[in-house]
Amino acid sequence: MRLTRNVLLGVTGSIAAYKSAHLVRELVKAGANVQVVMTPAAHDFVTPLTLATLSKRPVLTHMIDRSGEGTWNDHVHLARWADLLLVAPASANTLSKMVQGQCDNLLMACFLSATCPVYVAPAMDLEMYKDPSTLANIAVLKARGVMAIGPDSGELASGLEGQGRMTEPEAMVPFLVSDLMQGSKLAGKRVLITAGGTQEALDPVRYIGNRSSGKMGFALAEEAAARGAQVELVTGPVTINTDRPGITRIDVTSAADMAMVCDRIAPSTDIIVMAAAVADHTPKKPSDHKIKEKETSMLVELEPTVDILKGLGLRKAPHQRIVGFALETHDALANAQSKLERKNLDMIVLNSLSDPGAGFGHDTNKVTLLTPGTDPVQLPLMSKARTAAAILDHLEKLMPNA
Ligand code: CTP
């Protein structure tokens, strides 16, 4: 499962800050963008250089960075950027400030500005943790919606045994992923996703195909499964694979095969995402024998394939949400908009043709999301995993509340 999110990681002055380096690595491995904000006291326990190198972003500590010309570290922007604020380790002092709403450092300003879910991982010696003021602070924060992870019991830095250890990063990250995904509207939903390109037979060995790698469709399937959906992934021939639990893969070859499988599965699904590059035309009469070399000049008559997406859109049940993809060479927005309406879709993902790094074969993509009655939303060039997360975030906004 992935944590394809922007994580603002607050590191405070606790000996457990030595685990923050490992925590940053685990978060990055899980797919998160990590921005570290340290309190001044945290600098005594771990170097900003370590955390900056691992997170690939400069570590921020002060509201104003006076090292150069003087840079304003905008807490409002940071808080809006974050999909999740995790304070780990959270010292007794920071927990107390969070309760009081004290705003004497950048981390506290971010906390007070944050509208995203906030998690704290308390870490301190056992007597400090057991002190009624610390327990009361944690209780107040919980009552205000802050989620606490740990602390765990075991050997403490002081040599004492008891509760106060920061939860290990390997345990904390999967907890965050599953906790966040539980809130997804896709949890428990049946989702049909198509991926890859189709192959249209010319003869038993040759076909007309396209350059789709399937990466975007697979990324969507993995992200939907990570959010707790039951995914049926119908894919054309591709060289990639997924072993993510929650995904049932069905391999097809031609547009006709894909149409048959989608028509069978679609009625029992809640969400349909047609990311496949389905051939628009197929040879009318594929040869039943290998076409010989001597047949040098040949005309292949093509006929249109079934428009799978249009059929599903027109038969859409009220609870269903359908997403199509579009690749346009001219008047991209207007054409995509008209496709959205013509095919009765809830969203069109418009692929960029012109941006380097976007589209077929790449690991990155740059898309614009169109939904009926709202302005198009242009996403930046980012990994296909992250693009998939942004598409599904947008889709969730179109889904009815449970
Ligand atoms: N699609 C489909 N069945 C087809 C062809 C395409 O379901 N036979 C789906 C694709 O999966 C994609 C969307 O339709 O989600 C857009 O395909 P595109 O080829 O760009 O659009 P068309 O409707 O074929 O329109 P046009 O070729 O006129 O641009």
Side-chain angles (χ1 to χ4, degrees):
M1 292 210 283
R2 293 178 67 79
L3 186 64
T4 44
R5 294 284 190 280
N6 292 337
V7 176
L8 197 59
L9 175 63
V11 179
T12 75
S14 155
I15 186 67
Y18 82 89
K19 293 183 186 173
S20 301
H22 194 45
L23 178 57
V24 172
R25 285 210 58 179
E26 289 295 310
L27 288 166
V28 170
K29 244 171 47 193
N33 288 317
V34 183
Q35 172 64 61
V36 177
V37 176
M38 293 172 84
T39 62
H43 287 238
D44 291 332
F45 297 91
V46 63
T47 74
L49 180 65
T50 306
L51 302 183
T53 308
L54 294 171
S55 64
K56 300 189 179 69
R57 286 166 186 266
V59 166
L60 307 175
T61 299
H62 303 289
M63 302 282 280
I64 298 170
D65 176 2
R66 297 184 199 279
S67 54
E69 305 265 289
T71 313
W72 166 246
N73 291 321
D74 185 350
H75 56 283
V76 176
H77 171 78
L78 283 166
R80 290 181 76 90
W81 171 85
D83 296 310
L84 166 70
L85 170 59
L86 168 64
V87 184
S91 65
N93 189 36
T94 291
L95 292 169
S96 166
K97 286 188 195 176
M98 289 169 82
V99 170
Q100 299 300 324
Q102 274 190 48
C103 193
D104 62 350
N105 62 41
L106 181 63
L107 177 60
M108 287 310 304
C110 290
F111 168 65
L112 293 176
S113 310
T115 54
C116 60
V118 179
Y119 288 79
V120 289
M124 64 204 76
D125 209 60
L126 87 158
E127 300 303 346
M128 283 175 86
Y129 176 67
K130 280 197 313 197
D131 190 88
S133 59
T134 305
L135 293 176
N137 285 337
I138 294 173
V140 170
L141 289 173
K142 280 184 177 172
R144 293 179 187 166
V146 171
M147 272 88 43
I149 307 175
D152 293 350
S153 285
E155 193 187 329
L156 300 164
S158 60
L160 297 173
E161 288 270 335
Q163 206 173 1
R165 282 172 64 94
M166 185 174 99
T167 302
E168 295 301 325
E170 291 93 334
M172 201 184 306
V173 175
F175 171 83
L176 284 171
V177 175
S178 66
D179 202 46
L180 283 170
M181 295 316 176
Q182 257 176 28
S184 167
K185 286 187 192 166
L186 287 167
K189 294 282 187 258
R190 274 197 86 185
V191 178
L192 164 61
I193 296 176
T194 65
T198 61
Q199 295 180 354
E200 308 303 317
L202 282 163
D203 70 16
V205 291
R206 302 184 182 93
Y207 60 84
I208 301 174
N210 60 64
R211 293 194 166 90
S212 171
S213 63
K215 287 178 183 171
M216 193 63 242
F218 274 63
L220 281 158
E222 296 199 333
E223 181 64 24
R227 295 179 187 214
Q230 216 183 311
V231 180
E232 311 266 2
L233 175 61
V234 180
T235 177
V238 290
T239 56
I240 55 175
N241 207 352
T242 177
D243 53 8
R244 178 68 42 86
I247 300 179
T248 306
R249 172 174 170 165
I250 302 159
D251 287 277
V252 297
T253 305
S254 66
D257 296 341
M258 189 172 274
M260 206 164 63
V261 174
C262 289
D263 287 348
R264 177 169 56 77
I265 296 174
S268 59
T269 61
D270 305 286
I271 308 289
I272 299 167
V273 184
M274 283 290 302
V278 187
D280 284 323
H281 293 90
T282 190
K284 192 165 184 179
K285 288 193 191 119
S287 170
D288 57 6
H289 63 275
K290 185 175 171 226
I291 299 166
K292 286 293 191 197
E293 200 182 324
K294 61 179 184 303
E295 297 170 38
T296 46
S297 152
M298 58 185 279
L299 277 176
V300 179
E301 196 183 345
L302 301 177
E303 63 180 1
T305 55
V306 177
D307 189 330
I308 309 169
L309 183 61
K310 189 171 180 188
L312 299 176
L314 297 179
R315 295 192 298 272
K316 183 167 68 174
H319 73 278
Q320 283 183 322
R321 296 291 176 271
I322 304 191
V323 181
F325 273 66
L327 188 65
E328 307 286 347
T329 47
H330 62 283
D331 293 338
L333 276 178
N335 280 329
Q337 186 66 41
S338 118
K339 212 170 274 183
L340 182 72
E341 288 157 22
R342 232 176 24 216
K343 299 195 184 187
N344 194 27
L345 307 179
D346 299 285
M347 194 198 306
I348 280 261
V349 180
L350 175 60
N351 279 299
S352 159
L353 255 186
S354 50
D355 289 286
F360 284 162
H362 293 287
D363 289 326
T364 48
N365 208 1
K366 185 171 176 186
V367 300
T368 304
L369 308 181
L370 288 91
T371 48
T374 54
D375 288 337
V377 175
Q378 193 174 5
L379 301 178
L381 181 74
M382 49 190 179
S383 71
K384 285 189 172 166
R386 203 164 294 287
T387 304
I391 292 170
L392 296 186
D393 282 347
H394 210 69
L395 174 68
E396 288 202 30
K397 293 187 194 141
L398 307 176
M399 293 171 65
N401 290 321

